[in-house]
Structure formats: structure tokens, C-alpha cells
Amino acid sequence: MNDFIAARSQMALSLGFHIIFSCIGMVMPFFMAVSHYYWLKTNNVVYKNITKAWSKGVAIFFATGAVSGTVLSFELGLLWPTFMLHAGPIFGMPFSLEGTAFFIEAIALGFFLYGWNKFNPWFHWVTGVVVGISGLVSGILVVAANGWMNSPSGFDYVDGKYINIDPVKAMFNDAWFSQALHMSIAAFVATGFAVAGVHAFMILKGKNVLFHAKAFKIAAVFGCIAAVLQPLSGDISAKDVAERQPAKLAAMEAHFHTGKSVPLIVGGIPDVKEKKVDYAIKIPGLLSFMVAGDLNAEVKGLDSIPPEDHPPVAITHYAFQIMVGIGMLLLFVAVLYFIALWKKKIWLERRWLLILFAAVTPLGFIAVEAGWTVTEVGRQPWIIQGIMRTADAVTPMPGIVYSFYIFTGVYISLAIIVVFMLYRQIKMVDKIYDIPSNSDQLKG
Amino acid sequence: MLYVVIIYLWAAILLYLLLGGADFGAGIIELFTSPKNRKRTRKVMYKAIGPVWEANHMWLIITIVILFVGFPEIYSTMSVYLHIPLVIMLMGIIARGTAFTFRHYDAVVDDMQVLYNRIFVYSSFVTPLFLGIIAGTAVSGKIDPHASTFLPAYIYSWLHWFSISVGLFTVAICGFLAAIYLIGEAENEPDRLRFIRKAKQMNVAAVLSGGLVFITAYLEKIPLIEWIFGNAAGLSAIIAATLSLVLLWYLLARGKTRVLRLLAGFQVTMILFATTVRHFPNIVMLKNNAYLSLLEHSGHEKAINMLGMALLLGSIFILPALFYLIYSFQKKDPEKLRPSAKG
Ligand code: HDD
Ligand code: HEM
Ligand code: HEM
């Protein structure tokens, strides 16, 4: 592994790690707000216990999200100083605003976690909602910064100089909306299915069924609504990519030859040398239709792009297939669940539905990682699309390989500890929350 | 607008030093507390910093964002030449933040606690040490952008006695701030006396390591004495800090907690002021009298303007909420401060 690959891997690792915690940080406060609301409205202590149990889990995730985010803001410079030298002032606007959002989030979190019984209950409830809203806003802002890397705007690039800078235009670049929308929904999909899955598993084991059933329902409803919306927003994203980054679209689809009436390629193994895809299912004309709304439209293939500007085709293609495959599967699960809720109440008591949810627990997060792989690897070799190459941005310091090993070790250990603690947290639900009335007084 | 941004930068650094510093300091105090008292210290400390630690740590992020948006050249130069100490500091931040949370939210109390505690106290020491090393390096004039080999470019820039003594000084200051802060949080007399004693020890440590900074500066030919004593503003700041120190020792015996906190904060502010006022606007000194200046190396005007606006706008939202947070949890009612079901 050379230093350049190490730097890219370290960046990917850190972002891939952070995104899990930030999804949870963005979405869990909304779940908690719902159960907290039921507790205040119904006085049913199970809801209070759910809120508290979740909030303890979330505190663990928040701390990990906050430190991994702090690391990222240094890493941008540690690994890509040349990029930050030029890009910092241009795409910095969302980061400056994000500072405010984070701050509000951290303050509201202080109130929420430590404010039980200390404030007016509705003030306390609102602080929880504020945590969620500011988390969502900061997610949208940082994705807008990433959108700028895919679709640079708000400056003129003349003779290697960046002039006429307009940070506001840079923030509202062409990609920000489709990406921010898709990412926000993705966070709900991923967190919703993960949380629902864990509670489904506990119900299957017959532990604290009352507690877990209520928790399951809140998470499942959020996750399923988002799962229905996700393919729609994915379609917007795909059209957007076709327009601004034809090379990325071509790599996603392993679409080698420019032509009219292009089929949609599902699965398959791309063969970059022979410029073909083996063992794939081809749906005639569908890609043309998805991109342009016309079965005969022309879609640019990789042959229309100079070879030195090709992204890695195989990785991008596989990642895209994984994301879309999961998207379709979760859509199916969501539809089943809604049918169960509205038409076939009897299904809700069946084990197979719970088993299905337990089985898809990690899939949302896998789709998130795959989606980011599409976006980021599909942008290569550019760090700023069409302007700066990733290889020109990397730090001159040698030995990044070692730093990559260290970070890998740290993140792996952290992941293990977080999982271990969550496992204990869930195991303790029995002991802490078993007898509702009693636990309430004890833990006040 | 540039000056607004610079004031925010300075204020963010100061607040990180004061609030984040007290936060680190709590871990340092724990490190230097005899095992039999550790549990008590930990309890007082957790109640004091639990609700605010996330917010404290935001000042660092604000500092970084101001640097990369407003002063990209300074940010990227520091990132390249101080890569190694920055990574060590980051490791400290990761270890500390997670250990702090884990030990309070782990649902089962067992041997893992020992591990969390150990990680927490050591990283509380290492992180400010390296923060100090980075700050010391920034003014030491030892960063060499023309170095062509690994050691001079990436190691000798920061690894020297001066930066290490600044690191130790920073550690002592953090411990001192925390001890002063904890005096007011103690719930009983023995605890209070213990924190007063700690405050005195940390103060002595700060004075000693401060002396070391001057000695090493002299040995490394860094004109620190001239910077600090060579101009009226710096000199008066140092005199004010020294006078308030006398007052502080006097008051320590009497335990006026609020005045003590103000005085300690005042001293640290004066020290930061004295060390930055003379060579303003230059914040990073490079080899051969080259430097990076806040005025000459600021980013594009438009970016600075937008950044300034964002900061001003943010303050309108943040400051009242932050004060209310601190105020709410300052009110004494230990019974209800239980953070979690576990208590
Ligand atoms: C739960 C997660 C999830 C699911 C089920 C899907 N996606 Fe996705 N996708 C993401 C999570 C995600 C993401 C991680 O959030 C990405 C990465 C960058 C972004 O903005 O969103 C993404 C990126 C992304 C991109 C690239 C956008 C860009 O580079 O700007 C496209 C074209 C799609 N998605 C399309 C789809 C389609 C057609 C789906 C159909 C089911 C789909 N996604 C399901
Ligand atoms: C959290 C979700 C994200 C994930 C999982 C992610 C993933 C990745 C991956 C896999 C790479 C390596 C690509 C390669 O070298 O082949 C990468 C590179 C990079 N990403 Fe992202 N990314 C995310 C969001 C962002 C955001 C929001 C930003 C900036 C605002 C960003 C900035 C970068 C930079 C600077 C690089 C290195 C240069 C490059 O390889 O192009 N990423 N990321
Ligand atoms: C798509 C990518 C990203 C999303 C959606 C995202 C979202 C979030 C969210 C919601 C939080 C707060 C929740 C929590 O603390 O767990 C957070 C924390 C943080 N993120 Fe990210 N982030 C992304 C990438 C990045 C990048 C590239 C950076 C750095 C340049 C970054 C910097 C931070 C920082 C500094 C924090 C800590 C804030 C705190 O202390 O509360 N994030 N992120």
C-alpha cells in the first residue's frame, strides 16, 4: 500500500465510521421525541422507560459521533492540505453554519440528558426535538459541502487560480439538494430498520415484550415511511448525476459504450478490459428512460470520457447494485408492514414478520456505506470534480500508511466497545425496566 | 469583518483553554489523586462537567473551522508540518471523549470501569500536553517549510524542549483551572479542603513549568522574554496576572468560590493575552523569521465576510442557550442531578 492509497483509505475509513454515528445522532432524537410524547400524554411508564433506555444508547453514540467528527475536521487538512488550501474558503460556508448547529445540538443534548425532572416536562421535550432538528440541519449542511466537491460552483477557475469566490453560491451547488434529500431519508431508513430489527429480535426471544413491542413500532413506522420515499429520491439523484457527472453514472451502470436506447444493467461482473459486463440482467431502454424520460435517449458511456478520468468501474458498479438491491428489498418489507398495519392486523402477531425485520437489521447501514462509495469512488480521480485531482491534493508527509494502520486499529476497537456496551445496555433492559412502577421511582 | 473573525478566533481559543481546559484538568486531578479518594473526586467531577462537556469541546471545532475557512494557508501549513502531534492529540481526544462517556453509560459496572478510568486519566494528560506542544511550536520559529528530509520537516519542528515545556505548562494550567472549579462543586468539607490543596499544588506546578518555559526559550534562542516584557500591554497583563495570583492565594484560604473562579479565569486570559499581543498579527513563526500572519494570510474577502456573519448570527442563538445551560446546572440540587437511570 502506498501513501496515496493509505490516505484515501484512511479518509474513507473515518468517514464510513462517522456516518454511522451521525445517522443515529440525527434520527434517534426523533424516535425519542415520539416515545417521550406518548409518555407525557398517556403517563404510560413503558414509554418513559423506552425514552430513557434509548437516550442512554444515544449518549454513547453521540460521544463517538462527536469525537469522530472532530477527527474528521482535522483529517481534511492532515490528509488533503492542498485541497483545503483552495477549497476551504469556498466550501467553508456550510461548515461555519454547521458550527452553530452543532453547538445548539450539544447544548440541547445537555439539557435533555441531564434535565429529567429538573425542568418543565414540555420544555424538556422540546430540547429533545431541538437535538434532532439541529442534527438533521448539520447533516444537510455537511452534505452540501460534499455536493460542492461533486458539482463545484461559486468561483471561477482561471490559470490555476480560484477567483470571484461566492461562498453562498458554492453552498447551493447543483448537487446539494438531491444529495441532502437522499442522505436525510437514508439516515431514517438505516436507523429505523436497525433499531426495529434489534427490538424485533428481543420480542422473538420473548424478553420484555411490552417494552420492545412499543419501541419496535415507533422505529419501524419511521423506517418504513422512509424506505418508501427512498427510491423516489434515488431517482432524482440518478438524473442529477447523469447531468453533472456522466463518468460516475457510466461507472455505476458499468455502461461502456455511448449509445441510444441504453438498457439498465442489473448485477453482473464488469470486465473493464473487454468493456463489457458478464452475467448481467439487461432491461432494454430502461437506463435511457430513467435518465431522460425517453426510451430512446442517448446516454454517455465511458468511451466518451478520456481514460485517465475514468473512476474505478467495478467498485462503483458493485456498490450501486448493493444500494439499489437493498433499497428494493427494504421497500418490499415496508409495504408488507403497512399492509399488516392497515389490512392484516393478524400478521403483526406472526413470527415471520419479526424474523424478517430482525434479518434486515444491518442492511440500511450497508446501503448507506455503499451509497457513499458510489458517490465518492465514482468521483475519482477528482477530489473537486473537473478541477483538482485527488493525487494532487494529498499531503507530502511520508508514512501515512502507519497512520492508516493506527486509525484502523482505533476505529476497530471503538466499534467493538460500542457494540459490546450496546449489548449490555439491551441485556440490562430486563433488570432496569422490568417492573415499571418500581423502576420509575428508583431511577427518577 | 476580518477583525471580527480574528476576535472570534482568539475568543474560541481562550474559551477552549478555559472550559475545555478545566474539563481536561478534571482528569489530570484524578490522575494525581490518591486511589482512596479517586472515587469521590470522580463523582464530584462527573456532576460538574457531565452536562457541559460536549459544549466545551465545540470551541475546538469552531477554532478549526475559522482557521480553514478564514485562514486556509495557516491551517494547511500547520496540518502538514504538525501532522504527528496533531494525530497524537486526536487520539487523545478520541480516547478521552469515549472513555468518559463509556464509564458512565456502561450498564454493567465491572472491571471494564478500571480500563475506562485508566484511559480517561492518561488521555486527559496527553491531550493538553500535545495541545501545548502544538501551541509552543507555532510560536517557536522551528517549522521549516524548506526542509527536504523527514526528520527536520516533520519531527524537529515540534519535538524540542521549549514546546515540551509549553505542553507541561498547559497541563498544569488545566489542572489548576479544574481544581479551582471543583472547590465550588464539592459537597462536603473534606472534599473542599482536598480541592483547595490540589489547587495550590497545581498552581505551584504551573509556576514551575512556566519558569521552565522561559529557561528553555532562552536555551533554544526564542526571544520569549523580549516578546512578553518588551511591550507595555504584555507587561501589564503579566503584572496583573501576578498580582491576582497573590490575591488568589489569600482567598483560597477563605473559599470565596465565585471570586476564585473569576480570578483563575482572569489569570489564564492575561497569560494568553501577553503571549499573543506582541506578535499579533503573526500567529505562526516559521524558520528564518518567516511567519504566517492573520492579516496577510487571510482567505478571500468574501469568505471572511460570510464567516463573520455566520459567527455573529450563531452567537445570537448560542450564547443565551449556553448561559442558560450553565446557569441551570449551577443551581445546587444534587438530588435531582442524576444523569441517568443508573445514577
Ligand atoms: C438506506 C440507504 C440507501 C438506500 C436504500 C438507497 N440509497 Fe442511494 N445513497 C445513499 C443511501 C441509500 C446515501 C448513502 O445516502 C448516498 C451517498 C451520497 C448521497 O447523497 O446519498 C446515496 C447515493 C446515491 C446516488 C449517487 C448520488 C450522487 O453521487 O450524488 C444515487 C444515484 C442513488 N443513491 C440512487 C439510489 C437509488 C436509485 C436507490 C433505489 C432504491 C437508492 N439510491 C437506495
Ligand atoms: C460520511 C459519509 C461519507 C462517506 C462514507 C465517504 C466515503 C468516502 C470514500 C469511500 C472515499 C475514498 C474514495 C477513493 O479514494 O476512492 C472518500 C474520499 C473523500 N471524501 Fe468522502 N465520504 C463521505 C462524506 C464526505 C463529506 C461530507 C466530505 C466533505 C465535506 C467528504 C470529503 C472527502 C474527501 C476530501 C475525500 C478524499 C479525496 C478523494 O478521495 O476524493 N466526504 N470519502
Ligand atoms: C455525510 C456526511 C456527514 C453527515 C451526515 C454528518 C452528520 C453529523 C451529525 C448529525 C453529527 C451530530 C451527531 C453526533 O454527534 O453523533 C455530526 C457530528 C460531527 N461531524 Fe459529521 N457528518 C458528516 C460528515 C462530516 C465531515 C466530513 C466532517 C468534518 C469535516 C464532520 C464533522 C463533524 C463534527 C466536528 C462533529 C461533532 C459535533 C459535536 O461535537 O456535536 N462530519 N455529524
Side-chain angles (χ1 to χ4, degrees):
Chain A
M1 187 184 270
N2 67 28
D3 280 337
F4 176 50
I5 299 291
R8 286 165 61 178
S9 312
Q10 184 178 327
M11 194 72 205
L13 175 77
S14 310
L15 285 156
F17 187 80
H18 179 68
I19 192 69
I20 295 175
F21 297 90
S22 46
C23 282
I24 290 167
M26 282 189 277
V27 172
M28 282 309 284
F30 291 103
F31 294 4
M32 289 191 289
V34 171
S35 69
H36 195 176
Y37 177 84
Y38 283 135
W39 150 241
L40 293 176
K41 275 285 167 201
T42 64
N43 248 341
N44 182 345
V45 78
V46 174
Y47 284 114
K48 182 182 185 185
N49 289 340
I50 293 175
T51 315
K52 283 207 167 181
W54 275 347
S55 76
K56 280 199 281 169
V58 167
I60 297 166
F61 278 94
F62 254 110
T64 319
V67 292
S68 60
T70 309
V71 170
L72 276 174
S73 47
F74 281 90
E75 250 176 346
L76 284 176
L78 290 174
L79 299 175
W80 317 102
T82 317
F83 165 65
M84 289 308 282
L85 181 62
H86 299 294
I90 310 174
F91 83 158
M93 187 72 200
F95 288 107
S96 337
L97 295 173
E98 198 193 13
T100 303
F102 279 152
F103 229 125
I104 292 175
E105 188 180 359
I107 294 171
L109 189 71
F111 277 118
F112 181 75
L113 289 181
Y114 298 85
W116 285 95
N117 298 347
K118 206 168 166 5
F119 301 103
N120 171 317
W122 286 104
F123 173 79
H124 185 223
W125 183 78
V126 168
T127 60
V129 177
V130 172
V131 175
I133 293 175
S134 45
L136 205 54
V137 170
S138 53
I140 290 172
L141 286 167
V142 74
V143 171
N146 181 265
W148 179 84
M149 294 163 62
N150 286 323
S151 173
S153 61
F155 67 100
D156 292 318
Y157 186 63
V158 182
D159 299 335
K161 289 212 166 59
Y162 300 73
I163 55 172
N164 297 333
I165 285 175
D166 184 346
V168 177
K169 251 203 198 132
M171 185 162 95
F172 295 108
N173 54 70
D174 292 339
W176 88 272
F177 178 75
S178 64
Q179 276 196 243
L181 178 70
H182 197 60
M183 177 66 231
S184 307
I185 301 175
F188 278 91
V189 175
T191 314
F193 277 94
V195 174
V198 170
H199 290 293
F201 183 72
M202 296 308 285
I203 300 172
L204 287 171
K205 281 180 69 180
K207 294 238 169 93
N208 296 66
V209 173
L210 190 66
F211 176 96
H212 289 296
K214 287 192 160 35
F216 169 79
K217 188 170 174 192
I218 296 174
V221 168
F222 269 107
C224 289
I225 293 176
V228 173
L229 299 176
Q230 190 65 338
L232 302 176
S233 122
D235 183 49
I236 300 178
S237 292
K239 288 193 168 61
D240 206 52
V241 171
E243 207 165 294
R244 66 181 140 87
Q245 291 172 302
K248 186 192 276 182
L249 186 84
M252 273 155 53
E253 283 296 326
H255 171 44
F256 290 102
H257 307 286
T258 306
K260 293 196 164 125
S261 185
V262 179
L264 183 76
I265 298 178
V266 180
I269 300 171
D271 184 339
V272 181
K273 277 215 188 74
E274 298 293 321
K275 300 196 190 318
K276 63 185 174 66
V277 189
D278 300 324
Y279 314 112
I281 304 167
K282 297 188 180 164
I283 309 172
L286 192 58
L287 186 62
S288 291
F289 183 76
M290 283 176 63
V291 168
D294 172 3
L295 284 171
N296 289 316
E298 187 185 84
V299 180
K300 274 192 192 164
L302 284 166
D303 58 1
S304 68
I305 291 146
E308 72 272 16
D309 292 351
H310 284 192
V313 175
I315 298 181
T316 317
H317 179 69
Y318 292 136
F320 188 62
Q321 304 304 307
I322 292 172
M323 171 175 66
V324 175
I326 293 176
M328 291 305 158
L329 181 64
L330 295 184
L331 174 66
F332 173 70
V333 176
V335 170
L336 282 182
Y337 186 64
F338 285 128
I339 295 176
L341 275 186
W342 286 322
K343 298 270 179 223
K344 307 255 187 198
K345 294 254 186 242
I346 187 85
W347 287 3
L348 292 175
E349 280 146 39
R350 293 285 151 81
R351 285 181 75 81
W352 61 264
L353 192 68
L354 291 170
I355 292 175
L356 192 58
F357 269 96
V360 298
T361 304
L363 291 190
F365 279 105
I366 294 175
V368 166
E369 302 287 354
W372 278 105
T373 308
V374 172
T375 304
E376 305 288 296
V377 177
R379 186 183 59 241
Q380 303 306 316
W382 303 103
I383 188 167
I384 309 174
Q385 178 73 37
I387 306 275
M388 185 190 284
R389 279 172 196 276
T390 312
D392 298 331
V394 71
T395 178
M397 197 185 96
I400 299 297
V401 177
Y402 300 102
S403 139
F404 171 62
Y405 293 148
I406 295 172
F407 274 88
T408 309
V410 168
Y411 282 139
I412 290 177
S413 351
L414 270 184
I416 292 173
I417 301 183
V418 168
V419 170
F420 169 72
M421 290 196 38
L422 224 56
Y423 167 73
R424 284 187 172 196
Q425 207 68 250
I426 294 167
K427 217 176 60 179
M428 291 302 280
V429 164
D430 280 15
K431 306 214 167 53
I432 302 179
Y433 303 111
D434 212 11
I435 318 155
S437 59
N438 199 0
S439 72
D440 191 28
Q441 283 152 18
L442 267 174
K443 312 303 170 195
Chain B
M1 215 32 128
L2 182 54
Y3 280 93
V4 173
V5 172
I6 292 175
I7 290 169
Y8 268 95
L9 177 62
W10 196 81
I13 295 174
L14 175 67
L15 285 168
Y16 188 58
L17 187 61
L18 287 177
L19 302 171
D23 191 23
F24 288 125
I28 297 167
I29 300 266
E30 190 177 325
L31 178 64
F32 292 112
T33 297
S34 60
K36 71 178 192 324
N37 288 328
R38 273 201 189 158
K39 212 167 173 162
R40 297 213 41 77
T41 303
R42 211 173 286 149
K43 207 171 139 230
V44 177
M45 181 192 101
Y46 183 67
K47 273 193 22 216
I49 65 177
V52 288
W53 85 267
E54 275 250 346
N56 285 347
H57 140 120
M58 288 304 304
W59 298 111
L60 179 63
I61 296 167
I62 302 275
T63 306
I64 290 304
V65 170
I66 295 180
L67 279 180
F68 79 58
V69 179
F71 310 96
E73 218 171 318
I74 299 176
Y75 172 80
S76 62
T77 308
M78 299 272 280
S79 301
V80 172
Y81 295 101
L82 299 181
H83 192 114
I84 295 169
L86 281 168
V87 166
I88 299 175
M89 184 195 79
L90 287 176
M91 291 295 157
I93 289 178
I94 298 182
R96 203 187 112 86
T98 46
F100 179 79
T101 308
F102 290 172
R103 72 178 183 179
H104 283 284
Y105 283 97
D106 197 341
V108 185
V109 179
D110 59 10
D111 287 352
M112 287 298 282
Q113 291 287 335
V114 179
L115 177 69
Y116 303 144
N117 286 334
R118 205 163 285 163
I119 294 177
F120 178 74
V121 294
Y122 288 115
S123 53
S124 292
F125 182 85
V126 169
T127 314
L129 178 70
F130 274 83
L131 271 171
I133 288 180
I134 291 161
T137 306
V139 298
S140 69
K142 296 213 184 280
I143 296 176
D144 183 1
H146 300 292
S148 50
T149 49
F150 185 78
L151 289 176
Y154 301 110
I155 301 284
Y156 298 151
S157 53
W158 56 273
L159 190 63
H160 43 76
W161 293 115
F162 173 70
S163 66
I164 292 172
S165 21
V166 176
L168 291 174
F169 181 61
T170 314
V171 171
I173 293 271
C174 292
F176 170 64
L177 285 169
I180 294 281
Y181 182 70
L182 290 175
I183 294 173
E185 299 294 311
E187 281 162 16
N188 55 32
E189 198 53 22
D191 272 358
R192 219 175 59 82
L193 291 176
R194 213 150 41 74
F195 290 131
I196 292 182
R197 210 161 52 242
K198 277 279 167 304
K200 289 183 177 162
Q201 290 163 357
M202 287 294 167
N203 197 303
V204 171
V207 171
L208 288 180
S209 53
L212 198 62
V213 171
F214 280 105
I215 296 170
T216 49
Y218 176 76
L219 294 178
E220 307 257 359
K221 305 203 171 47
I222 296 163
L224 186 70
I225 299 189
E226 194 264 336
W227 283 340
I228 291 184
F229 298 104
N231 86 341
L235 190 61
S236 16
I238 285 297
I239 292 175
T242 317
L243 286 180
S244 67
L245 190 65
V246 178
L247 190 61
L248 191 130
W249 276 78
Y250 174 77
L251 287 174
L252 261 182
R254 279 157 196 75
K256 293 243 183 307
T257 48
R258 186 149 306 161
V259 188
L260 279 177
R261 283 179 191 177
L262 284 177
L263 275 178
F266 175 75
Q267 278 177 2
V268 175
T269 312
M270 284 299 124
I271 292 170
L272 188 66
F273 179 75
T275 46
T276 46
V277 66
R278 175 59 202 273
H279 52 244
F280 176 84
N282 308 340
I283 58 166
V284 180
M285 312 292 156
L286 307 174
K287 209 152 193 145
N288 302 326
N289 295 327
Y291 55 83
L292 292 173
S293 147
L294 288 172
L295 296 180
E296 290 162 43
H297 298 95
S298 63
H300 305 254
E301 198 187 328
K302 207 126 180 212
I304 294 275
N305 286 344
M306 296 313 294
L307 176 62
M309 304 274 254
L311 291 169
L312 290 171
L313 200 73
S315 314
I316 298 175
F317 287 105
I318 291 166
L319 292 179
L322 188 61
F323 282 124
Y324 187 58
L325 178 72
I326 295 172
Y327 166 79
S328 305
F329 289 100
Q330 282 280 311
K331 283 188 298 191
K332 281 263 148 32
D333 77 359
E335 217 50 69
K336 292 188 177 168
L337 263 177
R338 295 281 162 87
S340 66
K342 193 159 53 74

